[in-house]
């Protein structure tokens, strides 16, 4: 189960996984919106029967060089 904000990236990865014999489902998700995360989890349960691991790799990147990194 793949979730990300950009559908083109998800679609490309789902196609790659499928082309190599795997099974993947993509779902556009903004992790800052609880309802979207809940929908992502429900899609995973519907498609695979359960969720074994949930990895959240989201972050904020400064968009201007003068912003200090913390």
């Amino acid at each position: 189960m793949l979730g990300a904000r950009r559908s083109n990236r998800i679609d490309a990865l789902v196609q790659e996984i499928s082309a190599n014999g795997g099974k993947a489902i993509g779902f556009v998700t903004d992790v800052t919106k609880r309802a979207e995360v809940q929908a992502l989890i429900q899609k995973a349960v519907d498609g695979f029967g359960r969720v074994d691991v949930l990895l959240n790799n989201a972050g904020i990147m400064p968009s201007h060089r003068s912003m200090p990194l913390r």
Side-chain angles (χ1 to χ4, degrees):
M1 189 73 223
L2 306 168
R5 291 180 300 138
R6 296 183 185 104
S7 63
N8 61 327
R9 291 184 177 181
I10 296 172
D11 294 344
L13 189 52
V14 167
Q15 288 177 2
E16 182 180 343
I17 291 168
S18 298
N20 286 293
K23 181 180 177 187
I25 301 169
F27 189 70
V28 175
T29 308
D30 180 342
V31 297
T32 66
K33 298 179 179 159
R34 184 181 191 102
E36 291 187 22
V37 174
Q38 289 172 326
L40 172 73
I41 292 167
Q42 188 60 55
K43 288 276 189 185
V45 171
D46 293 345
F48 296 100
R50 65 179 192 229
V51 174
D52 292 321
V53 176
L54 179 62
L55 174 66
N56 178 3
N57 186 20
I60 299 172
M61 183 174 182
S63 61
H64 192 276
R65 288 183 176 251
S66 66
M67 292 180 67
L69 298 175
R70 296 182 192 175

